């Protein structure tokens, strides 16, 4: 194993776990929202077109634009800034497949169920949903692949994922990091898609055993992927109990997406660790995102440039000289 690969692999458990946590959370919420909306669209025909059109319109908005919108206009950062766009992207395939699957149930079967005295709710839950389940699960498979892919581009808003490999690798011309990020995200998507596909087959064949095997496999993949986050959470809890005042100090250092920023952020992080702080570094942040994150106390510090602050954040276009810029900028930041 090369030194470059060994160096990058030390980050893999953390990146994979955070990527998986964001994906699974968005997908679970997407299912919880989409299924009721789909049933509502079936029961109330007037709502069908507005719901389907609205969910389709969301898909036309570039994912990176949605992420930027959450960060800039709602001042969200990190997990929250990425979760909402990824959740919105997961709704359409599940919602559409739920409606389509129920519509495709043979009308004679539904009529027979009504003929033996079933109520509308019983027809839906005991006849239509079981028969439509394979189509619904197919929609969940599509949403899963989409969410894994979209999570990869959530890095610029502070959400750690396998995309960290790709963004930092492109900026530093590190082909090993780029390859590791791409292969890791593709493998995760294929594994989750394959396991959910087995559940889809089990639903078609009415095989409880096959569904149980796939469920155990899915649980094992998710559990092993989230193990680093679980251990970190336990460690942070123990640290907070042992520290003075019941809280541990965690310093988050921000960095923009180019080499000088990576170096400066690592230098700051190393000094803070030597001083006894727990440090987390958030790289590849956009200029507006990182400044907003500092204002909202989502990060503790980062390095910026007087010209950037003068122009972008103070909205100044004059040039009174370096000393005057530094003095006025310092007062504005206070």
């Amino acid at each position: 194993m090369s030194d470059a690969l060994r160096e990058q692999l030390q980050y893999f458990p953390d990146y994979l776990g955070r990527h998986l946590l964001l994906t699974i959370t968005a997908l679970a919420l997407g299912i919880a929202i989409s299924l009721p909306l789909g049933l509502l669209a079936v029961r109330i025909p007037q709502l069908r077109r507005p719901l389907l059109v609205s969910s389709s319109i969301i898909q036309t908005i570039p994912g990176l634009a949605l992420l930027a919108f959450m960060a800039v206009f709602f001042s969200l950062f990190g997990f929250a800034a990425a979760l909402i766009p990824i959740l919105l992207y997961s709704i359409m395939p599940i919602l559409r497949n739920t409606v389509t699957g129920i519509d495709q149930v043979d009308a004679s079967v539904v009529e027979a169920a009504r003929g033996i005295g079933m109520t509308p709710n019983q027809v839906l839950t005991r006849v239509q949903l079981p028969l439509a389940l394979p189509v619904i699960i197919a929609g969940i498979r599509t949403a899963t692949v989409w969410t894994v892919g979209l999570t990869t581009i959530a890095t610029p808003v502070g959400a750690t994922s396998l995309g960290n490999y790709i963004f930092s690798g492109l900026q530093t011309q590190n082909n090993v990091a780029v390859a590791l990020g791409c292969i890791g995200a593709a493998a995760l998507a294929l594994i989750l898609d394959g396991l959910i596909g087995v559940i889809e087959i089990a639903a078609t064949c009415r095989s409880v055993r096959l569904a149980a095997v796939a469920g155990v496999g899915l649980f094992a993949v998710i559990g092993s992927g989230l193990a680093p986050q679980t251990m970190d959470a336990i460690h942070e809890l123990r640290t907070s109990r042992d520290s003075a005042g019941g809280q541990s100090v965690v310093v988050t250092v921000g960095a923009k997406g180019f080499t000088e920023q990576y170096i400066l952020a690592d230098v700051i992080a190393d000094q803070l660790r030597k001083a006894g702080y727990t440090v987390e570094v958030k790289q590849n942040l956009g200029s507006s995102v990182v400044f907003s994150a500092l204002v909202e106390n989502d990060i503790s510090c980062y390095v910026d440039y007087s010209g950037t602050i003068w122009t972008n954040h103070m909205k100044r276009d004059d040039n009174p000289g370096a000393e005057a810029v530094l003095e006025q900028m310092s007062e504005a930041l206070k």
Side-chain angles (χ1 to χ4, degrees):
M1 182 185 297
S2 67
D3 292 339
L5 180 58
R6 186 180 295 108
E7 179 185 358
Q8 294 301 322
L9 283 176
Q10 66 179 319
Y11 304 110
F12 190 80
D14 181 55
Y15 289 175
L16 175 63
R18 291 174 183 264
H19 193 118
L20 189 58
L21 178 61
L22 186 52
T23 297
I24 295 302
T25 303
L27 189 61
L29 291 174
I31 294 171
I33 293 172
S34 303
L35 286 179
L37 287 179
L39 299 180
L40 196 63
V42 171
R43 297 295 293 272
I44 306 176
Q46 294 85 350
L47 293 178
R48 174 178 302 200
R49 184 173 178 80
L51 287 174
L52 292 176
V53 169
S54 298
S55 64
S56 297
I57 289 175
I58 292 173
Q59 300 296 320
T60 66
I61 304 173
L64 197 57
L66 278 176
L67 291 165
F69 187 84
M70 295 298 162
V72 174
F73 291 98
F74 292 98
S75 299
L76 295 177
F77 182 78
F79 190 90
L83 178 62
I84 296 175
I86 297 171
L87 163 63
L88 292 175
Y89 255 69
S90 72
I91 289 176
M92 193 274 279
I94 304 174
L95 173 61
R96 187 175 293 277
N97 277 41
T98 299
V99 175
T100 302
I102 294 175
D103 283 346
Q104 288 179 349
V105 174
D106 194 332
S108 61
V109 175
V110 176
E111 187 62 31
R114 292 170 180 164
I116 62 174
M118 283 189 175
T119 65
N121 286 336
Q122 289 175 328
V123 172
L124 179 64
T125 57
R126 298 185 184 183
V127 178
Q128 291 175 304
L129 274 179
L131 292 175
L133 195 56
V135 179
I136 296 173
I137 295 175
I140 295 174
R141 288 181 66 183
T142 302
T144 300
V145 175
W146 286 3
T147 54
V148 171
L150 187 57
T151 301
T152 307
I153 65 171
T155 300
V157 295
T160 303
S161 70
L162 292 169
N164 283 49
Y165 278 132
I166 299 172
F167 280 90
S168 61
L170 289 173
Q171 290 293 334
T172 59
Q173 298 183 11
N174 188 331
N175 295 331
V176 174
V178 174
L180 199 55
C182 293
I183 293 171
L188 179 61
L190 289 173
I191 291 171
L192 293 178
D193 177 69
L195 289 171
I196 298 174
V198 174
I199 296 176
E200 180 184 347
I201 295 172
T204 303
C205 302
R206 304 289 189 269
S207 174
V208 177
R209 180 177 298 181
L210 186 60
V213 171
V216 170
L218 199 58
F219 181 80
V221 170
I222 295 173
S224 59
L226 295 181
Q229 275 60 52
T230 304
M231 297 303 296
D232 288 344
I234 294 173
H235 175 72
E236 289 179 9
L237 180 61
R238 289 175 177 173
T239 303
S240 65
R241 288 177 176 175
D242 296 338
S243 61
Q247 291 185 340
S248 60
V249 178
V250 179
V251 179
T252 303
V253 180
K256 299 182 185 182
F258 49 93
T259 308
E260 180 181 82
Q261 286 277 307
Y262 300 152
I263 296 171
L264 293 172
D266 282 344
V267 169
I268 294 171
D270 286 343
Q271 294 298 314
L272 289 168
R273 291 189 183 104
K274 290 177 183 178
Y277 293 95
T278 300
V279 183
E280 182 178 8
V281 179
K282 294 285 188 179
Q283 298 178 340
N284 301 296
L285 303 177
S287 185
S288 296
V289 172
V290 69
F291 187 84
S292 297
L294 183 71
V295 172
E296 298 294 329
N297 292 321
D298 291 316
I299 64 171
S300 308
C301 61
Y302 81 102
V303 176
D304 213 330
Y305 309 93
S306 57
T308 301
I309 296 174
W310 183 262
T311 304
N312 292 354
H313 305 300
M314 295 175 63
K315 307 301 181 184
R316 298 283 294 271
D317 57 7
D318 55 324
N319 185 5
E323 292 185 4
V325 167
L326 181 60
E327 180 181 356
Q328 294 179 43
M329 181 196 67
S330 299
E331 289 299 319
L333 288 176
K334 290 178 184 179

